[in-house]
């Protein structure tokens, strides 16, 4: 079976600002690379569909969802003190970005594709229940996770987040939920400031949040050791019915927004480990969603490495 690449032209229309690092060029660089890749004949390119109010409201405040979706923007609207800006296409792009994960999850569940990478903008993992934050408007990965447990009734879904920034929004949404295991590897301390190792979930969710802070300067060795010692055993114990990945590539050594030193090949190796876990526990079912990654060459290299590792 092929690997799905879920995409949409509108992901290149959302403008976060003319000099903003979260640029349309990111989407274009990855898509151009994937279409020309030696792996392209084994990829299924699938156009994203919108999530819609009901699914967005699984993790977001309904009034926030309606507020974003009904925005009529002439120039630009600042959603989060300059960091997160919406322009004309942004509400529709954000709706499609969240919908992409749900659509990929459905296609994986019905056996159309084995796994998928959703090449989306805006990213999602910083978005909170009722506010945009850190370049994110809707929490794409959280909508997909909530869809799987609420609508598909899967008992357990693992979310692995290797974006260099901590996914504060995703963590918060599932902090008290034992059906969603949230595992994050991130530079710490760093934006957004959350993600210390002592935050492990609460109530029924205690033990189902795992934060693995990485120092500035951490590279492949530190990440792969964390995978071997923490991520793999935790997922083996959890036995997920589905694995979701917040695939940010901004931990790359070339990335301007981080101090970590991952190489391109690390993204392939981490993907391969998750693919093995998915093979053991859930029939290979993995859906990843683009989060950050701001050096366009390193981003395209890393995303291609990730997709190839999903295929092998
Ligand atoms: Zn990031």
């Amino acid at each position: 079976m092929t690997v799905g690449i879920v995409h949409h032209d509108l992901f290149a229309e959302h403008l976060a600002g003319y000099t903003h690092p979260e640029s349309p060029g990111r989407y274009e660089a990855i898509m151009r690379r994937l279409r020309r890749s030696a792996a392209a004949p084994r990829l299924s390119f699938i156009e994203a569909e919108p999530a819609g109010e009901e699914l967005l409201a699984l993790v977001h405040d309904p009034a926030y969802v309606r507020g974003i979706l009904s925005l009529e923007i002439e120039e630009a609207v600042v959603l989060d003190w300059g960091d997160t800006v919406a322009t004309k296409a942004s509400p529709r792009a954000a709706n499609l970005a969240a919908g992409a994960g749900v659509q990929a999850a459905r296609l994986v569940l019905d056996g159309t594709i084995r796994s998928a990478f959703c090449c989306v903008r805006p990213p999602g993992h910083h978005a909170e229940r009722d506010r945009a934050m850190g370049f994110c408007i809707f929490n794409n990965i959280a909508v997909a996770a909530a869809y799987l447990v609420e609508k598909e009734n899967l008992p357990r879904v693992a979310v692995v987040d290797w974006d260099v920034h901590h996914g504060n929004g995703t963590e918060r949404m599932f902090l008290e939920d034992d059906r969603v295991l949230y595992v994050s590897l991130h530079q710490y301390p760093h934006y957004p400031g959350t993600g210390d190792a002592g935050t492990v979930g609460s109530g029924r969710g205690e033990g189902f949040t795992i934060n693995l802070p990485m120092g500035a300067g951490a590279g492949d060795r530190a990440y792969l050791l964390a995978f071997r010692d923490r991520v793999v055993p935790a997922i083996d114990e959890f036995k997920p019915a589905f694995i979701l990945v917040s695939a940010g590539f901004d931990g790359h050594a070339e990335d301007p927004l981080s101090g970590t030193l991952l190489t391109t090949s690390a993204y392939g190796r981490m993907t391969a480990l998750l693919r093995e876990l998915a093979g053991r526990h859930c029939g290979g079912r993995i859906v990843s969603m683009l989060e950050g990654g701001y050096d366009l060459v390193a981003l395209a290299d890393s995303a291609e490495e990730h997709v190839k590792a999903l295929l092998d």
Side-chain angles (χ1 to χ4, degrees):
M1 261 189 289
T2 60
V3 170
I5 304 296
V6 186
H7 65 98
H8 198 288
D9 288 349
L10 264 190
F11 296 147
E13 307 257 321
H14 160 64
L15 261 188
Y18 290 107
T19 56
H20 201 289
E22 207 288 276
S23 69
R26 302 178 57 239
Y27 173 77
E28 289 159 351
I30 296 175
M31 290 305 297
R32 197 180 310 123
R33 177 68 64 84
L34 292 179
R35 289 190 194 280
R36 291 177 185 172
S37 168
R42 296 164 68 201
L43 304 176
S44 260
F45 290 87
I46 299 161
E47 191 166 79
E49 290 166 10
E53 266 186 54
E54 187 203 343
L55 294 186
L56 290 168
L58 290 174
V59 296
H60 288 289
D61 180 58
Y64 172 71
V65 171
R66 278 195 296 277
I68 293 289
L69 294 182
S70 64
L71 276 176
E72 301 248 355
I73 301 168
E74 287 289 326
E75 295 274 323
V77 173
V78 174
L79 300 177
D80 177 31
W81 39 273
D83 220 14
T84 314
V85 175
T87 45
K88 197 172 178 59
S90 305
R92 282 196 298 150
N95 194 2
L96 287 161
V102 171
Q103 189 182 355
R106 280 191 186 127
L107 292 170
V108 167
L109 284 176
D110 75 17
T112 307
I113 50 178
R114 189 188 55 197
S115 55
F117 169 63
C118 304
C119 187
V120 298
R121 292 181 62 247
H125 72 156
H126 297 305
E128 300 266 8
R129 188 175 155 72
D130 58 0
R131 75 177 186 112
M133 180 176 163
F135 319 164
C136 304
I137 297 176
F138 293 131
N139 196 317
N140 308 321
I141 203 86
V143 171
Y147 168 78
L148 286 169
V149 295
E150 301 290 348
K151 300 293 182 184
E152 298 286 355
N153 295 310
L154 296 193
R156 289 173 306 282
V157 173
V159 178
V160 177
D161 184 338
W162 68 48
D163 185 278
V164 80
H165 305 98
H166 180 245
N168 56 289
T170 316
E171 176 187 87
R172 178 89 65 95
M173 286 163 175
F174 301 109
L175 202 64
E176 296 178 19
D177 197 327
D178 60 356
R179 298 168 302 173
V180 176
L181 174 71
Y182 179 66
V183 184
S184 178
L185 304 100
H186 47 271
Q187 185 178 333
Y188 185 87
H190 194 37
Y191 182 88
T194 49
D196 66 284
T199 304
V200 296
S202 60
R204 277 177 42 183
E206 190 174 338
F208 296 93
T209 293
I210 300 175
N211 283 307
L212 304 171
M214 297 284 161
D220 295 10
R221 189 180 146 75
Y223 271 73
L224 290 163
L225 276 174
F227 257 75
R228 189 192 73 186
D229 294 345
R230 300 294 309 279
V231 180
V232 171
I235 292 178
D236 271 331
E237 188 182 343
F238 184 65
K239 298 181 175 58
F242 210 107
I243 296 179
L244 297 173
V245 187
S246 263
F249 300 102
D250 44 7
H252 196 284
E254 298 298 324
D255 197 277
L257 298 195
S258 73
T260 53
L261 301 172
L262 289 173
T263 66
T264 302
S265 74
Y267 292 106
R269 293 171 73 185
M270 292 192 290
T271 305
L273 290 167
L274 293 181
R275 198 168 46 84
E276 279 175 35
L277 286 162
R280 276 205 288 284
H281 299 294
C282 52
R285 300 195 286 215
I286 298 184
V287 168
S288 63
M289 304 192 76
L290 179 64
E291 299 282 1
Y294 304 98
D295 178 90
L296 298 188
V297 175
L299 174 64
D301 287 348
S302 304
E304 184 184 21
E305 188 83 1
H306 167 59
V307 169
K308 280 183 176 165
L310 284 177
L311 272 169
D312 286 339

PDB file of all heavy atoms in Angstrom, residues 150-170:
ATOM      1  N   GLU A 150     -12.948   9.808  19.871  1.00  0.00           N
ATOM      2  CA  GLU A 150     -14.366  10.148  20.080  1.00  0.00           C
ATOM      3  C   GLU A 150     -15.269   9.587  18.988  1.00  0.00           C
ATOM      4  O   GLU A 150     -16.379   9.150  19.262  1.00  0.00           O
ATOM      5  CB  GLU A 150     -14.555  11.675  20.125  1.00  0.00           C
ATOM      6  CG  GLU A 150     -13.784  12.401  21.213  1.00  0.00           C
ATOM      7  CD  GLU A 150     -14.319  12.132  22.614  1.00  0.00           C
ATOM      8  OE1 GLU A 150     -15.424  11.557  22.735  1.00  0.00           O
ATOM      9  OE2 GLU A 150     -13.623  12.493  23.577  1.00  0.00           O
ATOM     10  N   LYS A 151     -14.822   9.678  17.738  1.00  0.00           N
ATOM     11  CA  LYS A 151     -15.698   9.324  16.616  1.00  0.00           C
ATOM     12  C   LYS A 151     -15.436   7.920  16.085  1.00  0.00           C
ATOM     13  O   LYS A 151     -16.344   7.268  15.583  1.00  0.00           O
ATOM     14  CB  LYS A 151     -15.549  10.339  15.476  1.00  0.00           C
ATOM     15  CG  LYS A 151     -15.906  11.766  15.866  1.00  0.00           C
ATOM     16  CD  LYS A 151     -17.397  11.898  16.160  1.00  0.00           C
ATOM     17  CE  LYS A 151     -17.780  13.328  16.496  1.00  0.00           C
ATOM     18  NZ  LYS A 151     -19.195  13.436  16.873  1.00  0.00           N
ATOM     19  N   GLU A 152     -14.183   7.468  16.149  1.00  0.00           N
ATOM     20  CA  GLU A 152     -13.868   6.111  15.684  1.00  0.00           C
ATOM     21  C   GLU A 152     -13.769   5.131  16.854  1.00  0.00           C
ATOM     22  O   GLU A 152     -13.535   3.943  16.658  1.00  0.00           O
ATOM     23  CB  GLU A 152     -12.555   6.099  14.884  1.00  0.00           C
ATOM     24  CG  GLU A 152     -12.583   6.938  13.603  1.00  0.00           C
ATOM     25  CD  GLU A 152     -13.387   6.296  12.463  1.00  0.00           C
ATOM     26  OE1 GLU A 152     -13.849   5.145  12.624  1.00  0.00           O
ATOM     27  OE2 GLU A 152     -13.568   6.959  11.416  1.00  0.00           O
ATOM     28  N   ASN A 153     -13.924   5.656  18.061  1.00  0.00           N
ATOM     29  CA  ASN A 153     -13.910   4.847  19.281  1.00  0.00           C
ATOM     30  C   ASN A 153     -12.646   4.005  19.454  1.00  0.00           C
ATOM     31  O   ASN A 153     -12.707   2.901  20.003  1.00  0.00           O
ATOM     32  CB  ASN A 153     -15.141   3.943  19.341  1.00  0.00           C
ATOM     33  CG  ASN A 153     -16.407   4.769  19.463  1.00  0.00           C
ATOM     34  OD1 ASN A 153     -16.479   5.650  20.317  1.00  0.00           O
ATOM     35  ND2 ASN A 153     -17.380   4.501  18.606  1.00  0.00           N
ATOM     36  N   LEU A 154     -11.508   4.506  18.996  1.00  0.00           N
ATOM     37  CA  LEU A 154     -10.259   3.782  19.259  1.00  0.00           C
ATOM     38  C   LEU A 154      -9.928   3.931  20.747  1.00  0.00           C
ATOM     39  O   LEU A 154     -10.107   4.998  21.328  1.00  0.00           O
ATOM     40  CB  LEU A 154      -9.108   4.338  18.407  1.00  0.00           C
ATOM     41  CG  LEU A 154      -9.219   4.199  16.897  1.00  0.00           C
ATOM     42  CD1 LEU A 154      -7.867   4.506  16.232  1.00  0.00           C
ATOM     43  CD2 LEU A 154      -9.682   2.811  16.472  1.00  0.00           C
ATOM     44  N   PRO A 155      -9.474   2.862  21.375  1.00  0.00           N
ATOM     45  CA  PRO A 155      -9.241   2.936  22.820  1.00  0.00           C
ATOM     46  C   PRO A 155      -8.003   3.746  23.207  1.00  0.00           C
ATOM     47  O   PRO A 155      -7.988   4.385  24.258  1.00  0.00           O
ATOM     48  CB  PRO A 155      -9.062   1.469  23.226  1.00  0.00           C
ATOM     49  CG  PRO A 155      -8.607   0.773  21.977  1.00  0.00           C
ATOM     50  CD  PRO A 155      -9.254   1.516  20.833  1.00  0.00           C
ATOM     51  N   ARG A 156      -6.984   3.721  22.352  1.00  0.00           N
ATOM     52  CA  ARG A 156      -5.722   4.383  22.710  1.00  0.00           C
ATOM     53  C   ARG A 156      -5.042   4.932  21.454  1.00  0.00           C
ATOM     54  O   ARG A 156      -4.870   4.203  20.466  1.00  0.00           O
ATOM     55  CB  ARG A 156      -4.757   3.393  23.386  1.00  0.00           C
ATOM     56  CG  ARG A 156      -5.149   2.971  24.803  1.00  0.00           C
ATOM     57  CD  ARG A 156      -4.233   1.870  25.342  1.00  0.00           C
ATOM     58  NE  ARG A 156      -4.176   0.748  24.425  1.00  0.00           N
ATOM     59  CZ  ARG A 156      -5.122  -0.187  24.307  1.00  0.00           C
ATOM     60  NH1 ARG A 156      -6.199  -0.146  25.065  1.00  0.00           N
ATOM     61  NH2 ARG A 156      -4.990  -1.170  23.418  1.00  0.00           N
ATOM     62  N   VAL A 157      -4.656   6.199  21.529  1.00  0.00           N
ATOM     63  CA  VAL A 157      -3.936   6.849  20.429  1.00  0.00           C
ATOM     64  C   VAL A 157      -2.672   7.495  20.997  1.00  0.00           C
ATOM     65  O   VAL A 157      -2.738   8.195  22.012  1.00  0.00           O
ATOM     66  CB  VAL A 157      -4.816   7.931  19.753  1.00  0.00           C
ATOM     67  CG1 VAL A 157      -4.026   8.733  18.727  1.00  0.00           C
ATOM     68  CG2 VAL A 157      -6.043   7.280  19.103  1.00  0.00           C
ATOM     69  N   ALA A 158      -1.530   7.203  20.378  1.00  0.00           N
ATOM     70  CA  ALA A 158      -0.275   7.839  20.810  1.00  0.00           C
ATOM     71  C   ALA A 158       0.043   9.018  19.892  1.00  0.00           C
ATOM     72  O   ALA A 158      -0.063   8.905  18.669  1.00  0.00           O
ATOM     73  CB  ALA A 158       0.870   6.829  20.764  1.00  0.00           C
ATOM     74  N   VAL A 159       0.403  10.147  20.498  1.00  0.00           N
ATOM     75  CA  VAL A 159       0.860  11.314  19.736  1.00  0.00           C
ATOM     76  C   VAL A 159       2.326  11.539  20.083  1.00  0.00           C
ATOM     77  O   VAL A 159       2.666  11.792  21.240  1.00  0.00           O
ATOM     78  CB  VAL A 159       0.053  12.583  20.097  1.00  0.00           C
ATOM     79  CG1 VAL A 159       0.596  13.792  19.324  1.00  0.00           C
ATOM     80  CG2 VAL A 159      -1.435  12.389  19.819  1.00  0.00           C
ATOM     81  N   VAL A 160       3.194  11.405  19.097  1.00  0.00           N
ATOM     82  CA  VAL A 160       4.620  11.677  19.299  1.00  0.00           C
ATOM     83  C   VAL A 160       4.929  13.007  18.629  1.00  0.00           C
ATOM     84  O   VAL A 160       4.608  13.207  17.456  1.00  0.00           O
ATOM     85  CB  VAL A 160       5.492  10.549  18.709  1.00  0.00           C
ATOM     86  CG1 VAL A 160       6.978  10.884  18.857  1.00  0.00           C
ATOM     87  CG2 VAL A 160       5.174   9.218  19.387  1.00  0.00           C
ATOM     88  N   ASP A 161       5.503  13.934  19.389  1.00  0.00           N
ATOM     89  CA  ASP A 161       5.748  15.300  18.919  1.00  0.00           C
ATOM     90  C   ASP A 161       7.243  15.573  18.986  1.00  0.00           C
ATOM     91  O   ASP A 161       7.797  15.772  20.057  1.00  0.00           O
ATOM     92  CB  ASP A 161       4.958  16.256  19.832  1.00  0.00           C
ATOM     93  CG  ASP A 161       5.045  17.713  19.381  1.00  0.00           C
ATOM     94  OD1 ASP A 161       5.999  18.075  18.663  1.00  0.00           O
ATOM     95  OD2 ASP A 161       4.159  18.485  19.782  1.00  0.00           O
ATOM     96  N   TRP A 162       7.907  15.561  17.807  1.00  0.00           N
ATOM     97  CA  TRP A 162       9.344  15.830  17.807  1.00  0.00           C
ATOM     98  C   TRP A 162       9.671  17.205  17.268  1.00  0.00           C
ATOM     99  O   TRP A 162      10.833  17.512  16.988  1.00  0.00           O
ATOM    100  CB  TRP A 162      10.126  14.723  17.108  1.00  0.00           C
ATOM    101  CG  TRP A 162       9.930  14.601  15.620  1.00  0.00           C
ATOM    102  CD1 TRP A 162       9.978  15.605  14.694  1.00  0.00           C
ATOM    103  CD2 TRP A 162       9.700  13.387  14.881  1.00  0.00           C
ATOM    104  NE1 TRP A 162       9.782  15.105  13.442  1.00  0.00           N
ATOM    105  CE2 TRP A 162       9.620  13.740  13.518  1.00  0.00           C
ATOM    106  CE3 TRP A 162       9.573  12.043  15.256  1.00  0.00           C
ATOM    107  CZ2 TRP A 162       9.397  12.807  12.518  1.00  0.00           C
ATOM    108  CZ3 TRP A 162       9.353  11.109  14.250  1.00  0.00           C
ATOM    109  CH2 TRP A 162       9.269  11.492  12.903  1.00  0.00           C
ATOM    110  N   ASP A 163       8.666  18.061  17.095  1.00  0.00           N
ATOM    111  CA  ASP A 163       8.951  19.471  16.795  1.00  0.00           C
ATOM    112  C   ASP A 163       9.851  19.998  17.919  1.00  0.00           C
ATOM    113  O   ASP A 163       9.726  19.573  19.065  1.00  0.00           O
ATOM    114  CB  ASP A 163       7.635  20.257  16.751  1.00  0.00           C
ATOM    115  CG  ASP A 163       7.846  21.698  16.324  1.00  0.00           C
ATOM    116  OD1 ASP A 163       8.227  22.528  17.182  1.00  0.00           O
ATOM    117  OD2 ASP A 163       7.639  21.988  15.136  1.00  0.00           O
ATOM    118  N   VAL A 164      10.751  20.923  17.594  1.00  0.00           N
ATOM    119  CA  VAL A 164      11.730  21.368  18.599  1.00  0.00           C
ATOM    120  C   VAL A 164      11.079  22.177  19.722  1.00  0.00           C
ATOM    121  O   VAL A 164      11.648  22.344  20.790  1.00  0.00           O
ATOM    122  CB  VAL A 164      12.887  22.167  17.937  1.00  0.00           C
ATOM    123  CG1 VAL A 164      12.467  23.617  17.650  1.00  0.00           C
ATOM    124  CG2 VAL A 164      14.140  22.110  18.807  1.00  0.00           C
ATOM    125  N   HIS A 165       9.861  22.660  19.456  1.00  0.00           N
ATOM    126  CA  HIS A 165       9.129  23.394  20.497  1.00  0.00           C
ATOM    127  C   HIS A 165       8.122  22.463  21.169  1.00  0.00           C
ATOM    128  O   HIS A 165       7.561  21.574  20.529  1.00  0.00           O
ATOM    129  CB  HIS A 165       8.394  24.583  19.873  1.00  0.00           C
ATOM    130  CG  HIS A 165       9.310  25.500  19.102  1.00  0.00           C
ATOM    131  ND1 HIS A 165       9.455  25.434  17.737  1.00  0.00           N
ATOM    132  CD2 HIS A 165      10.145  26.472  19.536  1.00  0.00           C
ATOM    133  CE1 HIS A 165      10.350  26.348  17.350  1.00  0.00           C
ATOM    134  NE2 HIS A 165      10.779  26.981  18.420  1.00  0.00           N
ATOM    135  N   HIS A 166       7.879  22.709  22.444  1.00  0.00           N
ATOM    136  CA  HIS A 166       6.914  21.875  23.159  1.00  0.00           C
ATOM    137  C   HIS A 166       5.495  22.152  22.655  1.00  0.00           C
ATOM    138  O   HIS A 166       5.106  23.314  22.470  1.00  0.00           O
ATOM    139  CB  HIS A 166       6.990  22.161  24.663  1.00  0.00           C
ATOM    140  CG  HIS A 166       6.025  21.348  25.468  1.00  0.00           C
ATOM    141  ND1 HIS A 166       4.984  21.914  26.164  1.00  0.00           N
ATOM    142  CD2 HIS A 166       5.938  20.011  25.651  1.00  0.00           C
ATOM    143  CE1 HIS A 166       4.299  20.951  26.768  1.00  0.00           C
ATOM    144  NE2 HIS A 166       4.858  19.791  26.478  1.00  0.00           N
ATOM    145  N   GLY A 167       4.710  21.092  22.486  1.00  0.00           N
ATOM    146  CA  GLY A 167       3.331  21.233  22.011  1.00  0.00           C
ATOM    147  C   GLY A 167       2.397  21.509  23.172  1.00  0.00           C
ATOM    148  O   GLY A 167       1.589  20.662  23.571  1.00  0.00           O
ATOM    149  N   ASN A 168       2.471  22.734  23.694  1.00  0.00           N
ATOM    150  CA  ASN A 168       1.677  23.098  24.871  1.00  0.00           C
ATOM    151  C   ASN A 168       0.184  22.870  24.663  1.00  0.00           C
ATOM    152  O   ASN A 168      -0.518  22.426  25.567  1.00  0.00           O
ATOM    153  CB  ASN A 168       1.920  24.573  25.214  1.00  0.00           C
ATOM    154  CG  ASN A 168       1.614  25.486  24.032  1.00  0.00           C
ATOM    155  OD1 ASN A 168       2.374  25.494  23.052  1.00  0.00           O
ATOM    156  ND2 ASN A 168       0.513  26.201  24.090  1.00  0.00           N
ATOM    157  N   GLY A 169      -0.302  23.172  23.456  1.00  0.00           N
ATOM    158  CA  GLY A 169      -1.742  23.040  23.197  1.00  0.00           C
ATOM    159  C   GLY A 169      -2.174  21.595  23.261  1.00  0.00           C
ATOM    160  O   GLY A 169      -3.159  21.241  23.925  1.00  0.00           O
ATOM    161  N   THR A 170      -1.435  20.727  22.583  1.00  0.00           N
ATOM    162  CA  THR A 170      -1.778  19.302  22.558  1.00  0.00           C
ATOM    163  C   THR A 170      -1.702  18.725  23.969  1.00  0.00           C
ATOM    164  O   THR A 170      -2.582  17.975  24.395  1.00  0.00           O
ATOM    165  CB  THR A 170      -0.812  18.545  21.625  1.00  0.00           C
ATOM    166  OG1 THR A 170      -0.642  19.295  20.424  1.00  0.00           O
ATOM    167  CG2 THR A 170      -1.337  17.160  21.306  1.00  0.00           C
TER     168      THR A 170
END
